[in-house]
Amino acid sequence: MLVSQLPKLFGIGIDGHGPRRDLLQLGRMILAGEANGYSFAVGGGCRVLIPAPTPSC
């Protein structure tokens, strides 16, 4: 999953200032309790139900 999609998975809005900064800001916001549990449940459930494409031989 791309770093740019992780905030959407947790229902958090962040400013895009690069992947490293985004991950740090996302981690801080999750630890501060700003993550939306319902958004994570729906996004995580969809991620589990829709498997990642695998390369065909």
Side-chain angles (χ1 to χ4, degrees):
M1 187 174 302
L2 297 174
V3 173
S4 62
Q5 294 177 349
L6 285 175
K8 295 175 186 110
L9 179 66
F10 287 98
I12 297 174
I14 62 172
D15 299 328
H17 294 294
R20 190 177 317 167
R21 275 190 176 172
D22 290 351
L23 281 175
L24 289 173
Q25 187 176 4
L26 179 65
R28 287 186 196 118
M29 293 178 89
I30 291 171
L31 291 175
E34 296 183 32
N36 185 331
Y38 295 115
S39 179
F40 179 73
V42 170
C46 289
R47 183 66 188 117
V48 169
L49 292 176
I50 303 171
T54 56
S56 56
C57 296

